[in-house]
């Protein structure tokens, strides 16, 4: 059989199932369903015209045909892994790939990356933006784990917003988060000014959609509840998928935003945004940094630096 015809996915399923003698255990390792593993094995058996497993009442047993090819197959996968490691040496010489949410990248990461590069001039940063999809977790933890595993396998560092990811990789919480109401100081002056929490009903609302997407309750609903304010229209106002857009609208004085002050450090320091009330709500969601176990020193150096920089 020519190498271009090799059914690599099915062969991988066979090797894992043969190692565990269980489709269920193989599915867990591969982050797929047992039905998917069974289907891959059936396709491989049909292609080869041989039976690879004896389906027994209490599990699986390898046939003579399966035993004859298993070790060469494992050697082949080991050779593939070594080839990938050899290629990755070139990638690892100086490039550090970072994948992070758009708003985190714009408002927290990019303003300070020059500090890391000054400490590590030998490193070239490759930064991409990517958002975690909450519908994957609601559909299946295995589906989300499979997607996140692919992200970690293709980027040196992955930063996520939401709950702690269900992966057996190095995971660090970058910082605890809370939400509060922020606005332009211009909205604290003149007719209709914001003077007490109840006054929020008379001003436009801007929605940072992360609360609804990742926690099931909007940031505005959480803040109103903490402030003891009842509203028949807690979802009124303008909506923004990216927190950065809601924050920029608030800076321009277009309304009030309930968001994470961690993304507004510069605006709060310069006074272009203010927190008029001492009402904050801790979040269960956070920003997490993920990296492969045993990652190169430059990855550990970046993770240590970022945790320290965000803690200051």
């Amino acid at each position: 059989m020519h190498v271009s015809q090799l059914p690599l996915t099915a062969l991988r399923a066979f090797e894992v199932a043969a190692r565990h003698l269980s489709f269920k255990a193989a599915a867990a390792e591969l982050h797929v369903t047992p039905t998917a593993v069974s289907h891959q094995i059936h396709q491989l058996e049909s292609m080869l015209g041989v039976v690879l497993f004896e389906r027994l009442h209490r599990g699986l047993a390898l046939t003579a045909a399966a035993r004859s090819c298993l070790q060469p197959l494992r050697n082949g996968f080991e050779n593939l892994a070594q080839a990938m490691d050899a290629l990755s040496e070139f990638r690892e010489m100086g490039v550090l790939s970072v994948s992070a949410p758009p708003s985190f990248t714009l408002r927290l990461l990019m303003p300070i990356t020059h500090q890391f590069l000054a400490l590590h001039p030998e490193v070239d940063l490759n930064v991409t933006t990517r958002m975690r999809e909450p519908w994957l977790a609601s559909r299946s933890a295995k589906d989300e784990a499979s997607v996140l595993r692919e992200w970690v396998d293709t980027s040196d560092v992955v930063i996520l917003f939401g709950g702690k990811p269900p992966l057996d990789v190095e995971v660090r919480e970058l910082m605890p988060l809370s939400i509060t109401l922020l606005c332009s100081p211009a909205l604290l002056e003149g007719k209709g000014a914001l003077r007490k929490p109840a006054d929020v009903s008379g001003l436009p609302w801007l929605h940072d959609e992360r609360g609804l997407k990742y926690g099931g309750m909007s940031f505005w609903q959480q803040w109103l509840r903490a402030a003891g304010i009842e509203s028949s229209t807690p979802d009124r106002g303008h909506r923004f998928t990216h927190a950065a857009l809601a924050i920029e609208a608030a800076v321009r004085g277009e309304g009030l935003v309930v968001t994470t002050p961690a993304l507004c450090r510069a605006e709060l320091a310069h006074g272009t945004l203010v927190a008029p009330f001492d009402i904050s709500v801790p979040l269960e969601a956070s920003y997490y940094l993920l990296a492969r176990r045993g990652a190169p020193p430059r990855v550990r150096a970046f993770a240590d630096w970022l945790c320290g920089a965000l803690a200051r």
Side-chain angles (χ1 to χ4, degrees):
M1 181 180 292
H2 191 271
V3 66
S4 63
Q5 298 175 302
L6 290 174
L8 292 177
T9 301
L11 289 170
R12 178 62 176 152
F14 163 61
E15 189 280 326
V16 178
R19 179 155 31 88
H20 292 288
L21 290 178
S22 165
F23 289 167
K24 183 176 180 180
E29 179 173 327
L30 295 171
H31 303 292
V32 297
T33 64
T35 301
V37 173
S38 178
H39 180 67
Q40 290 288 342
I41 300 300
H42 179 71
Q43 283 189 322
L44 187 59
E45 290 176 326
S46 297
M47 176 185 292
L48 298 174
V50 298
V51 176
L52 298 171
F53 292 98
E54 294 180 30
R55 277 71 168 178
L56 306 177
H57 177 65
R58 302 191 130 209
L60 301 173
L62 295 174
T63 64
R67 290 193 297 272
S68 71
C69 73
L70 189 55
Q71 192 56 53
L73 179 63
R74 286 173 175 162
N75 292 342
F77 278 121
E78 181 62 31
N79 289 335
L80 284 174
Q82 291 175 3
M84 293 299 293
D85 288 342
L87 289 172
S88 69
E89 289 294 327
F90 292 91
R91 180 172 66 91
E92 291 174 355
M93 283 183 178
V95 177
L96 176 68
S97 57
V98 179
S99 171
S103 294
F104 180 95
T105 302
L106 288 170
R107 306 198 63 82
L108 281 179
L109 183 59
M110 296 313 297
I112 61 173
T113 50
H114 67 280
Q115 300 172 11
F116 176 77
L117 295 176
L119 295 171
H120 300 274
E122 76 283 0
V123 172
D124 292 328
L125 273 182
N126 179 8
V127 180
T128 58
T129 60
R130 190 155 43 184
M131 289 181 66
R132 187 179 188 178
E133 294 295 345
W135 62 267
L136 272 174
S138 64
R139 188 178 74 178
S140 166
K142 285 186 178 180
D143 286 344
E144 185 187 41
S146 179
V147 170
L148 298 184
R149 167 60 71 178
E150 181 181 350
W151 291 7
V152 173
D153 287 343
T154 55
S155 296
D156 292 313
V157 173
V158 174
I159 296 169
L160 303 172
F161 177 82
K164 187 174 182 179
L167 283 183
D168 183 23
V169 297
E170 182 179 346
V171 178
R172 302 194 197 187
E173 183 179 12
L174 289 175
M175 54 186 161
L177 294 176
S178 63
I179 54 172
T180 194
L181 185 141
L182 302 176
C183 67
S184 165
L187 298 184
L188 305 181
E189 303 171 356
K191 186 177 180 180
L194 183 65
R195 305 190 187 283
K196 57 185 184 298
D199 293 339
V200 299
S201 60
L203 290 164
W205 294 1
L206 309 172
H207 288 269
D208 170 354
E209 291 257 80
R210 288 177 299 163
L212 197 58
K213 286 187 69 174
Y214 297 97
M217 180 183 289
S218 74
F219 285 168
W220 263 105
Q221 286 178 298
Q222 295 179 56
W223 187 86
L224 289 170
R225 186 169 63 179
I229 300 172
E230 293 188 8
S231 172
S232 59
T233 57
D235 296 324
R236 71 175 179 87
H238 308 301
R239 301 183 172 281
F240 301 87
T241 300
H242 299 301
L245 300 178
I247 293 166
E248 289 172 10
V251 170
R252 293 191 297 268
E254 295 178 14
L256 312 174
V257 65
V258 176
T259 189
T260 49
L263 291 183
C264 310
R265 292 182 173 186
E267 289 77 11
L268 290 169
H270 297 142
T272 54
L273 282 179
V274 295
F277 309 117
D278 187 21
I279 302 172
S280 64
V281 182
L283 291 182
E284 292 184 8
S286 188
Y287 284 109
Y288 291 94
L289 182 149
L290 283 61
R292 295 183 296 277
R293 297 192 186 280
R298 73 183 188 287
V299 176
R300 293 192 293 275
F302 180 84
D304 291 342
W305 165 80
L306 185 58
C307 288
L310 295 179
R312 291 194 286 272

